[in-house]
Structure formats: structure tokens, C-alpha cells
Amino acid sequence: MPADPVAITADLIRCPSVTPAEGGALTFLEKTLKAAGFTVHRKVFHEPGAEDVENLYARIGTNGPHLTFAGHTDVVPPGEETAWTLPPFSGEVKGGELYGRGAVDMKGGIGCAVAAALDHLAGNGGKPQKDGKGSISFLITGDEESIAVNGTPKLLSWVAEMGETFDHCILGEPSNVNELGDTIKIGRRGSLNGHLIVRGRQGHVAYPHRAVNPIRGLVRLIEALQGEPLDTGSELFPPSHLEFTSVDVGNKTVNLIPGEARARFNIRFNDRHTLDGLKELLHARAKKAAGAEVNFEFMFEPSNAGVFVVKQGPFTDMVVGAISEVTGRKPDLSTSGGTSDARFIAAYCPVVEFGLVGQTMHQVDERVPVKDLTALTGIYRRILGAYFK
């Protein structure tokens, strides 16, 4: 009897794994995958100043080719629970839709991948291929919805230290825009967070000649940094974009010129830039605008969210073919949207993102049509079948 992706997803939803809590979700996956013959590892990683995070790595098979399914079981908070049609951690079906926090992002994707893998193994006598070759694994983190420090990056590093490698990865994030099968993510823009700090000299507002107001300098630099586009885009990506998200002087007194002013910003950048090159460009533009009058400094937050894109070829063609066979749609190959854990995985192997439709993710009444869970499982099954031929 085929594995039931609806039941598996519902069981995951019933685990209140609000980031970074494990909530029982990894325990459920460990039990399910061990029963199918997977070797399962649970790893907790630590980082000063960040919460500990529990992760899971499970593998069946010892040789190549090696296909891994990646994802996260942590979810965002449900918000006001009384606003939900059904309780956010009930995993109940109503009107042909499965409700619950994480139904779309992304316990549904994990549930479908697990169901597809169980079906594939059952057809091969418990092996990735009938001749015993090949490996299937699951790379599941618990902090994707948080700061992503103690999850996928460290789990990938730990797997590499064990001498294991991946050939390809499917990340089950909700990639589709309107209908299942309309979009595959083959790349993502990079993301750079930073602070622009301007230092002046504190003083009384009645005696401005005795002070240097850093707000004036900060405004000048903000205008200069946003006044000229970073680029005009590239073949696969839209133009890079800088956006200031906060300005703060920490001043609660109306008659005091502050000594320092700060602004926080984010840049989503395309493949015409690297992280280091982008930092140099910002500094050069700010220095030109500042002249000798403005004392400024950039502070950049630690980031490994660089640009990545997967080259089209046999692997992407295979995924597109499986989607078309099940849905009748030819998906767009997209690089739009924010960041995901694919940015870490791309350093280890080619990765594509394909999961459910993302319209209700992070919303009250997050839900997924049961038919989409069934269809996504069918797509993953076809990918597995084609991959291990």
C-alpha cells in the first residue's frame, strides 16, 4: 500500500516545532525513516549568542549516485490561534485542504518527499536501486525560520567531515506561485545586511557651532548610496537593490545634538557582484559622498548568503520532465524571491527548489490542498525513478 503523504504531513504539523524548538518533528521522522532502513543521526549544534538547534541526517545506501532531500521542520509562530479556522497544530482536513502551521512551509514538502522515498524503496526491495547501488538521504534542519546558524550550514559541514558527498539535492521549499508545477527555483539572489554608522560631536542645539551633527552626514550618505542603481540586472537576475530599513540615533532629548547616527540596510544582489566586491563598491560611493566632513564606518553582519544558480542540464531536465508528466505544466526556471537554505547547499552540490504553492505560507489558516500533496508525492516518485535508472 502506498505511503500516505497527507497522514505524514498531518503528523508533522501536530508537532509544535516553532523555531528553533524540535517539538517532536525530528523524533517522528527518525522513527519513520529508521523503520524503512535509513541510518539516522540527530545532531545538536551550538554557537555563542544563538540558541542550540537540533537537526537530522538520514541515509540509506552507501554509494553513488546520491540524491538528498533537504528541508526544515521548524515553523514560524501561529499568531493569534483563535483566528484560525482549525487549530494551527491540529493537522485536520476541511474542504479538501489540510490545515496547520507548516502545511506549506514546509512540512508538506517533507511529508511528500518521505512518502515518495518509502514508495520507491518498497518497489526496490528496500534499496535505492534493485542492484543495491545509489543512496537517498534527508537533510533536515530546525532553524531555517530563524537565523540559520546552527542548522543547515553546520549539518552540511558535519556530513562532509564524515567523508560523505551529495550528487544532487531537491529542497522542498514552496516554490510555486499559483499552481503546482508552475515554478522551479534554480537560483537565488545574494543577501547582505549591514549598518552605516556616522560619528559626529555631541552638543547643545543652541550652540551648533560647538557640535557636529551626524544626522546631516547620514542623510547625505543615504541619498548617495540609493541615488544610483547598483547595476541594471543580468541574464538570470533582476537588478540588485539596496533598501534602508531603520535609522536610529538613540536620542531621547530634544535639545541635544547626538554624537552618533546609524542606519541599517539590506542588499539583495545578483550574479554581477560578490560579497567582497559589493562591500568595496559601497565604501567607495560613501567615501566620495562624505568628502572630508563626514566620519563614517560600515559594519557588515556575518553572511554566506551569496548568489547561486544551477546550470541547466540533465538534472534540471529530469525534474522538469517529472513535473510535466504529473501536472501537464512546464515550469518556469526562476531565480526570484528571497533566500533559503539552498544558498548553503549550493556549495556542496547542484540544488533545485521545488515544493508546494506558497500562497498561504506564514499566514493564519496556512493550508494545502490534499490533491497537491498527492501530486507532489507523485512528482518526487518520478524523480527518484528516473534518477536511479
Side-chain angles (χ1 to χ4, degrees), residues 278-290:
L278 196 57
K279 293 174 185 178
E280 292 175 3
L281 175 61
L282 293 178
H283 191 272
R285 288 190 178 182
K287 185 176 181 180
K288 181 179 179 181

Side-chain angles (χ1 to χ4, degrees), residues 5 7 33 44 47 65 81 119 126 175 258 260 268 323 325 332 334 359 389:
L33 294 172
V44 177
E47 182 79 20
E81 296 192 19
D119 288 345
S175 62
E260 182 179 282
R268 297 300 169 99
I323 294 168
E325 288 172 12
D332 293 331
S334 172
Q359 290 187 350
K389 274 187 178 179

